[in-house]
Amino acid sequence: SPPPKCQMTISSIVMTLLFGDRKEWADLEPVPQDDGPNPVVKIAYSEKFSDVYDYFRALLKNDEKTERAFALTADAIDLNAANYTVWHYRRVLLQALSKDLKEEMKYITNIIEEQPKNYQVWHHRRMVVEWLNDPSEELRFIADILSQDAKNYHAWQHRQWVIQEYKLWDNELEFVENLLEEDVRNNSAWNQRHFVISHTTGFSDPAVVEREIQYCLNQIRKAPHNESAWNYLKGMLQDRGLSSQPGLLERVLELKETHCSPYLLAFLFDCYEDALENITQKEKVEEEEQKETLRKALEICRLLAQEKDTIRKEYWEFLGRSLRNKYGNGALSDEPMAENPEPSISASQSQEAS
Amino acid sequence: MSVYKQIHSLPQPTLLREQHYQYLKKGLRHLSDAYECLDASRPWLCFWILHSLELLQEPIPAAVASDVCQFLARCQSPTGGFAGGPGQHAHLAPTYAAVNALCIIGTDEAYNVIDREKLLDFLWSVKQPDGSFVMHVGGEVDVRSAYCAASVASLTNILTPKLFENTTNWILSCQNWEGGLSGVPGLEAHGGYTFCGTAALVILGKEHMLDLKALLRWVVSRQMRFEGGFQGRCNKLVDGCYSFWQAGLLPLLHRALYKEGESELSQQRWMFEQQALQEYILLCCQNPTGGLLDKPGKSRDFYHTCYCLSGLSIAQHFGNMDNHYEVILGKEENRLAPTHPVYNICPEKVAQALQHFLRMPVPEVSRQPGG
């Protein structure tokens, strides 16, 4: 009989027999993929890939729950870690064969290190942690993954799940601050900051809010064009209203001289808009103040649309029109009309009734 | 940018139609072993390629269309929904892709592939008590699943309020302090998830329950002032695929704000810089031998081909109830077909599918919810 075929992979010096040539598998008839007579999106699988998956399909068909089936799932995963059917089957086998889940943790740790941007591997880890009811390795493991890619979405998702499920809040704010020290522009870390605080002290405590404002302004002084810090400042205060925080507007106006940015200007706009929303029509002096606030807000819109943030021209012009429509009135008609007419029709545009 | 062109007499940006067409035509039949990693996403490959071809207004030969139908029929699970390949388990993502691909084909043969009763059973089997959906039985939850479920349920007319009970509130809980939406509550706002959550709410008629102003501010801020393309998250890099996931939100928000009585909306433009996005796609995201990509230096693939072209279409076509304005950068030949901002297939195909399935009764439920 011809000698069994071997596969030598470039990435390792291990030679492995195809399952089709292994004596221990001789009893199982492999099941080729049923793509039909005229396949589409037909993948030119390697011989190894077809071999492993032909045997996987056979196991699935027979609902085989054996050690050899478990071993094969690792090969199938190695060839395509996104095959969620294989992962599901592996989990069925883990339970049916009462496999050592601590060993499985080691396995999944290695797989995630190799392929950290895959959905299935993280979900599998979550299942094993739940079965073991043991989160003790998680924060350190996730920190390691984040040290390689500080914005890995799956890693953050797993981290938030672990922290919330097992109430591991205690050191997380410190963890976040360290990450922000390394990269103050890491928006994932800013999000985690919001996550920790909103689930622990909350943002109602004025001492917390003042501390966070202080923190933001310090980061802004260090890196003025960091959108994350400005978004966090606004995001933290917007429910209560930006004008509810006394002295904040003044502090930002101070920063405008030396640390200006489109984000600072947008924040000022938001402050003015919030002030307009909350103005009470009690005294005549309020009406002058309102007109002045509106004027300042519209001037910022114009500045952003025409000079400082032109990529968002359409948006800033819309906001200007909206604001004027809402708070402007006939008394303002002798003010110079801000240049926010509809953009002129370009030559390349056509018009058809839809 | 235009001054540079004037000075250096650069030709107008050109969409490499013929090259993209050859790349797509081949991929619809054969893919190299580099695609082994997508062996559990083959309906996606069908959708990405067919949608790209429909945007390029390249016809699908009837024989090919029929072959796609028969292949997707083999991907359909006996218990309902579609899997990543024949013999695999059903999953909401390939289900979304398969239904979209079949609607693009739009023949009776295509529509008849879908077992509506079993599809409804599948959706119930992945529904969770808190309103969310897992992506597959024993799988993970995130906001993509709500979009996939809402998309297929609405197109095939199997949608009932009970099926989406609590889903609206769950999606709303994904809107965060940044104004965008995250994959699950608590996480960072992200373009892909924001699109899925918003489009799902539009299908459910509940988009007005979002903080639309905060969402609008977040998404317009994702357009990169130098590159012209969009980033997926604040302080991350531009990527051609967000040309659809992010820019596609502007048509959705435009309509949502209009329905809320907003009087100052433009009647000609979306609230992003349409020309700059077209420039980014045409100048930075095309592979000269066909296919589109994330950013210069990256490899082409069918996912980026689909979403770069979809984004280019969004940037070219403005439309509301009363009018349709086009902004075509470069030659008229760069013009793509319009795409529907909720489903991301051509609007005629959406209408045709709805018309077909609305004639049928909504199936009775034969299974109990999962969870």
Side-chain angles (χ1 to χ4, degrees):
Chain A
S1 57
K5 281 175 274 189
C6 300
Q7 287 267 323
M8 190 160 83
T9 63
I10 292 166
S11 59
S12 75
I13 55 166
V14 174
M15 286 182 11
T16 55
L17 279 179
L18 297 173
F19 285 86
D21 294 317
R22 300 189 202 186
K23 287 210 305 275
E24 328 82 73
W25 288 84
D27 62 294
L28 194 56
E29 192 64 37
V31 176
Q33 182 159 270
D34 179 22
D35 264 12
N38 304 310
V40 293
V41 294
K42 185 175 155 92
I43 300 170
Y45 307 111
S46 70
E47 186 174 23
K48 184 171 184 186
F49 194 101
S50 296
D51 173 62
V52 168
Y53 275 92
D54 288 351
Y55 279 88
F56 176 70
R57 279 182 279 273
L59 293 169
L60 213 53
K61 182 173 168 189
N62 295 343
D63 199 26
E64 184 175 314
K65 300 206 177 97
T66 60
E67 218 23 77
R68 72 175 180 181
F70 183 74
L72 186 138
T73 61
D75 289 275
I77 283 163
D78 185 57
L79 290 164
N80 179 17
N83 193 313
Y84 56 90
T85 302
V86 176
W87 281 108
H88 181 266
Y89 195 61
R90 187 177 173 93
R91 283 193 285 277
V92 167
L93 292 170
L94 279 170
Q95 308 213 282
L97 302 173
S98 303
K99 298 294 289 183
D100 182 344
L101 294 177
K102 295 239 166 211
E103 284 304 308
E104 189 67 2
M105 280 299 289
K106 291 188 198 162
Y107 170 74
I108 195 63
T109 294
N110 290 334
I111 301 285
I112 294 175
E113 291 278 356
E114 290 165 19
Q115 306 195 50
K117 290 198 172 183
N118 163 305
Y119 280 95
Q120 286 72 37
V121 300
W122 286 97
H123 180 65
H124 189 77
R125 189 184 180 97
R126 175 169 159 163
M127 298 302 304
V128 178
V129 168
E130 278 181 3
W131 288 344
L132 282 170
N133 198 34
D134 177 10
S136 60
E137 292 178 19
E138 297 317 280
L139 294 181
R140 177 192 288 269
F141 169 71
I142 301 161
D144 183 64
I145 297 293
L146 289 173
S147 73
Q148 298 165 52
D149 173 3
K151 303 182 183 186
N152 182 321
Y153 207 85
H154 303 280
W156 284 111
Q157 184 166 343
H158 190 74
R159 195 172 182 90
Q160 288 197 353
W161 170 73
V162 168
I163 286 174
Q164 216 161 359
E165 189 69 19
Y166 298 99
K167 306 191 190 343
L168 300 172
W169 301 98
D170 289 353
N171 302 313
E172 193 62 4
L173 188 57
E174 185 189 341
F175 178 74
V176 163
E177 290 215 348
N178 289 336
L179 281 184
L180 288 173
E181 274 295 302
E182 286 173 28
D183 178 9
V184 72
R185 292 172 183 82
N186 183 339
N187 196 68
S188 308
W190 282 100
N191 180 71
Q192 191 75 346
R193 191 179 184 96
H194 194 280
F195 174 74
V196 172
I197 292 175
S198 54
H199 283 92
T200 52
T201 58
F203 287 100
S204 314
D205 180 354
V208 170
V209 173
E210 181 50 40
R211 181 198 74 203
E212 291 301 292
I213 292 175
Q214 205 52 266
Y215 183 82
C216 281
L217 295 178
N218 285 342
Q219 302 319 315
I220 287 164
R221 280 185 204 97
K222 288 193 250 170
H225 288 261
N226 178 11
E227 189 181 347
S228 293
W230 284 107
N231 289 348
Y232 184 86
L233 187 58
K234 177 172 60 131
M236 170 182 46
L237 297 170
Q238 63 193 353
D239 288 341
R240 211 156 316 127
L242 294 184
S243 48
S244 70
Q245 198 63 25
L248 180 58
L249 178 62
E250 288 67 29
R251 285 152 95 178
V252 174
L253 284 168
E254 253 178 57
L255 273 178
K256 182 167 180 273
E257 303 315 306
T258 46
H259 296 75
C260 200
S261 68
Y263 318 116
L264 183 148
L265 294 170
F267 189 87
L268 282 182
F269 172 87
D270 293 331
C271 288
Y272 295 137
E273 186 186 30
D274 190 66
L276 287 168
E277 262 182 49
N278 295 312
I279 274 182
T280 52
Q281 301 296 338
K282 271 197 284 192
E283 301 141 30
K284 200 156 186 279
V285 78
E286 291 289 351
E287 196 189 316
E288 273 311 306
E289 227 179 281
Q290 179 180 0
K291 282 210 289 201
E292 181 57 15
T293 304
L294 177 62
R295 192 198 63 75
K296 285 193 277 201
L298 291 176
E299 173 52 28
I300 294 187
C301 278
R302 188 208 61 78
L303 186 63
L304 287 165
Q306 292 179 16
E307 290 172 45
K308 303 288 187 182
D309 200 22
T310 57
I311 192 84
R312 274 165 276 283
K313 175 173 184 285
E314 283 297 325
Y315 172 71
W316 292 116
E317 289 185 351
F318 163 73
L319 276 199
R321 293 194 299 272
S322 275
L323 214 63
R324 190 179 302 111
N325 183 57
K326 192 170 180 187
Y327 298 108
N329 52 38
L332 294 172
S333 61
D334 51 344
E335 285 197 3
M337 194 51 188
E339 294 319 297
N340 291 340
E342 285 285 47
S344 55
I345 291 170
S346 69
S348 65
Q349 147 243 291
S350 65
Q351 196 171 348
E352 53 183 89
S354 62
Chain B
M1 195 79 195
S2 59
V3 173
Y4 181 87
K5 275 186 266 182
Q6 271 173 30
I7 293 169
H8 297 272
S9 306
L10 283 181
Q12 296 173 309
T14 303
L15 177 65
L16 303 172
R17 286 182 157 276
E18 186 55 30
Q19 290 88 330
H20 299 322
Y21 173 63
Q22 293 302 329
Y23 173 64
L24 292 162
K25 184 173 179 225
K26 177 158 192 243
L28 190 52
R29 281 294 179 196
H30 294 110
L31 298 161
S32 74
D33 63 2
Y35 277 86
E36 284 176 351
C37 61
L38 286 170
D39 187 45
S41 295
R42 290 173 70 201
W44 274 116
L45 288 159
C46 293
F47 167 67
W48 294 329
I49 295 171
L50 287 176
H51 182 51
S52 300
L53 289 168
E54 82 170 332
L55 288 170
L56 289 167
Q57 289 162 310
E58 296 287 354
I60 319 289
V64 175
S66 184
D67 291 342
V68 174
C69 292
Q70 288 176 57
F71 172 70
L72 291 176
R74 283 177 162 76
C75 291
Q76 187 162 218
S77 164
T79 50
F82 291 82
Q88 298 176 29
H89 291 167
H91 185 296
L92 275 171
T95 298
Y96 165 84
V99 170
N100 262 8
L102 292 166
C103 289
I104 291 172
I105 294 169
T107 58
D108 280 348
E109 180 189 8
Y111 298 137
N112 290 341
V113 167
I114 305 169
D115 184 333
R116 292 165 71 243
E117 289 74 20
K118 290 267 167 58
L119 179 57
L120 186 56
D121 288 344
F122 172 62
L123 296 182
W124 276 110
S125 77
V126 289
K127 177 77 195 292
Q128 304 299 292
D130 68 352
S132 66
F133 290 80
V134 292
M135 292 298 292
H136 61 100
V137 173
E140 73 277 13
V141 168
D142 63 56
V143 75
R144 293 173 299 155
S145 61
Y147 172 62
C148 293
S151 181
V152 304
S154 57
L155 283 172
T156 62
N157 187 30
I158 62 177
L159 201 161
T160 61
K162 221 162 187 320
L163 181 60
F164 291 97
E165 200 168 65
N166 294 330
T167 303
T168 294
N169 286 333
W170 190 86
I171 298 173
L172 292 173
S173 72
C174 291
Q175 182 167 33
N176 80 349
W177 57 274
E178 300 174 78
L181 279 70
S182 54
V184 295
L187 282 170
E188 199 182 354
H190 177 297
Y193 294 121
T194 302
F195 176 84
C196 288
T198 305
L201 287 173
V202 169
I203 293 171
L204 299 176
K206 299 289 198 295
E207 69 275 24
H208 59 275
M209 297 182 73
L210 286 163
D211 182 345
L212 295 173
K213 292 289 167 72
L215 174 51
L216 178 62
R217 171 69 68 90
W218 178 82
V219 64
V220 303
S221 300
R222 305 282 68 76
Q223 187 167 22
M224 311 293 277
R225 65 170 56 100
F226 297 117
E227 298 94 310
F230 281 78
Q231 64 188 177
R233 301 180 249 170
C234 181
N235 273 332
K236 289 206 78 180
L237 298 177
V238 71
D239 181 332
C241 71
Y242 294 115
S243 306
F244 178 76
W245 301 121
Q246 298 283 35
L249 283 163
L250 278 315
L252 298 180
L253 289 174
H254 200 103
R255 184 163 164 277
L257 289 165
Y258 178 81
K259 284 171 79 186
E260 289 298 283
E262 186 55 61
S263 59
E264 302 305 314
L265 292 164
S266 169
Q267 307 227 32
Q268 297 172 22
R269 307 270 167 152
W270 305 122
M271 277 187 274
F272 72 95
E273 176 44 77
Q274 290 169 237
Q275 178 166 322
L277 180 60
Q278 294 187 46
E279 280 172 355
Y280 177 69
I281 295 168
L282 292 175
L283 295 170
C284 304
C285 296
Q286 295 194 89
N287 180 305
T289 67
L292 290 97
L293 37 101
D294 165 353
K295 59 173 65 65
K298 301 280 181 149
S299 320
R300 65 186 183 174
D301 60 56
F302 294 104
Y303 165 83
H304 282 94
T305 301
C306 171
Y307 290 103
C308 284
L309 290 175
S310 301
L312 183 57
S313 172
I314 298 278
Q316 289 178 342
H317 297 281
F318 172 90
N320 63 17
M321 292 292 120
D322 308 301
N323 58 27
H324 176 203
Y325 264 63
E326 292 181 5
V327 176
I328 312 293
L329 181 70
K331 322 188 275 222
E332 167 61 23
E333 287 75 29
N334 290 351
R335 183 190 184 280
L336 294 175
T339 191
H340 194 294
V342 171
Y343 299 98
N344 198 23
I345 65 178
C346 289
E348 304 79 41
K349 298 294 166 73
V350 174
Q352 196 184 296
L354 290 173
Q355 190 187 43
H356 176 89
F357 288 109
L358 281 168
R359 282 191 254 120
M360 306 178 183
V362 179
E364 287 288 309
V365 184
S366 53
R367 290 261 300 275
Q368 292 307 302

